[in-house]
Amino acid sequence: AQKVTQAQTEISVVEKEDVTLDCVYETRDTTYYLFWYKQPPSGELVFLIRRNSFDEQNEISGRYSWNFQKSTSSFNFTITASQVVDSAVYFCAIRPVIQGAQKLVFGQGTRLTINP
Amino acid sequence: DADVTQTPRNRITKTGKRIMLECSQTKGHDRMYWYRQDPGLGLRLIYYSFDVKDINKGEISDGYSVSRQAQAKFSLSLESAIPNQTALYFCATSDERVETQYFGPGTRLLVL
């Protein structure tokens, strides 16, 4: 069985601060995908990134960066110079890379509030 | 226009009523999913379908049924709604090539 833990239920920071959202996962699969989704106050789920387990290279996209460490089963998400528009609930998710396996297992989410 | 649409976006119903939530997609994906979101629990899979003839139960399928009317349409039914089915429901799509699930805007359901 797979499990995703986002220990930070809520985070509140002041605009322009850097903030890191933690994600720790458990899986017995040797290959898997990891995902981050954003859920703004309007409620929709927005895909942010997918990472293959065999690719441990960190990724940066603008103010967003992701640190994948297989040794610690973590896939953390950092927002640099946070903005009010970053306020949302962020979900980390995992699924195995095997044919027919499409179920995404989500963490409980981290509610991020960026204060002006 | 949105690639994945859900109707209705909001619905209030009474205990015991039958209700259907609909999902349509223009992404051309063959795989579709229904999830529910409850506060503090993340999203949980209700049903998924790999193609029109393939329907599979997820982890919380009791009390729900689905219909895949066409590649682009996947409906979720609550045969006899109960209050603990009050939640935010999401439809999602993917295909074998894309590997990523893309979500609709969600349907807020309140069962009184």
Side-chain angles (χ1 to χ4, degrees):
Chain A
Q2 299 179 316
K3 183 179 180 181
V4 175
T5 300
Q6 295 179 254
Q8 304 151 308
T9 304
E10 295 190 24
I11 300 175
S12 181
V13 300
V14 177
E15 196 172 21
K16 298 184 182 178
E17 287 186 15
D18 299 346
V19 58
T20 295
L21 309 182
D22 297 334
C23 173
V24 175
Y25 61 91
E26 298 174 26
T27 183
R28 295 179 182 177
D29 298 294
T30 54
T31 55
Y32 44 89
Y33 289 113
L34 294 164
F35 302 82
W36 276 95
Y37 286 87
K38 174 182 179 180
Q39 186 175 39
S42 51
E44 72 272 24
L45 274 170
V46 179
F47 165 72
L48 295 178
I49 190 172
R50 184 189 79 218
R51 170 64 67 206
N52 299 335
S53 58
F54 48 84
D55 179 5
E56 292 196 59
Q57 186 174 4
N58 291 328
E59 183 157 341
I60 299 174
S61 177
R63 297 182 296 106
Y64 294 174
S65 62
W66 290 269
N67 183 310
F68 175 37
Q69 294 196 355
K70 207 168 183 177
S71 60
T72 58
S73 298
S74 65
F75 186 42
N76 296 336
F77 173 31
T78 297
I79 302 174
T80 303
S82 61
Q83 300 176 4
V84 173
V85 294
D86 296 326
S87 296
V89 180
Y90 290 87
F91 291 96
C92 181
I94 187 172
R95 78 161 180 85
V97 181
I98 56 176
Q99 188 170 0
Q102 288 286 312
K103 176 186 173 181
L104 273 176
V105 175
F106 285 83
Q108 302 94 321
T110 296
R111 181 176 300 277
L112 175 63
T113 301
I114 310 298
N115 299 299
Chain B
D1 289 337
D3 295 319
V4 185
T5 57
Q6 293 183 232
T7 55
R9 293 295 311 279
N10 295 278
R11 180 71 182 267
I12 300 174
T13 191
K14 295 182 178 180
T15 297
K17 294 292 186 180
R18 184 178 189 276
I19 183 171
M20 179 182 288
L21 309 182
E22 299 186 351
C23 176
S24 295
Q25 53 110 350
T26 58
K27 298 182 79 68
H29 290 170
D30 52 357
R31 301 175 180 191
M32 300 185 73
Y33 313 79
W34 276 104
Y35 291 86
R36 67 176 277 176
Q37 181 182 14
D38 299 278
L41 294 179
L43 280 78
R44 293 179 292 166
L45 183 63
I46 305 172
Y47 270 95
Y48 61 102
S49 169
F50 283 176
D51 63 40
V52 175
K53 298 180 181 179
D54 180 80
I55 304 289
N56 304 280
K57 292 183 177 180
E59 60 183 300
I60 54 165
S61 58
D62 288 348
Y64 301 95
S65 63
V66 292
S67 173
R68 186 81 183 267
Q69 302 95 321
Q71 185 195 35
K73 296 183 181 297
F74 193 35
S75 300
L76 176 72
S77 293
L78 286 67
E79 298 301 326
S80 179
I82 56 177
N84 75 0
Q85 290 178 313
T86 292
L88 179 56
Y89 289 84
F90 285 101
C91 174
T93 74
S94 73
D95 68 22
E96 193 172 4
R97 293 180 300 107
V98 174
E99 299 284 15
T100 295
Q101 292 183 22
Y102 294 92
F103 287 79
T107 294
R108 293 190 181 276
L109 175 65
L110 173 60
V111 182
L112 300 175

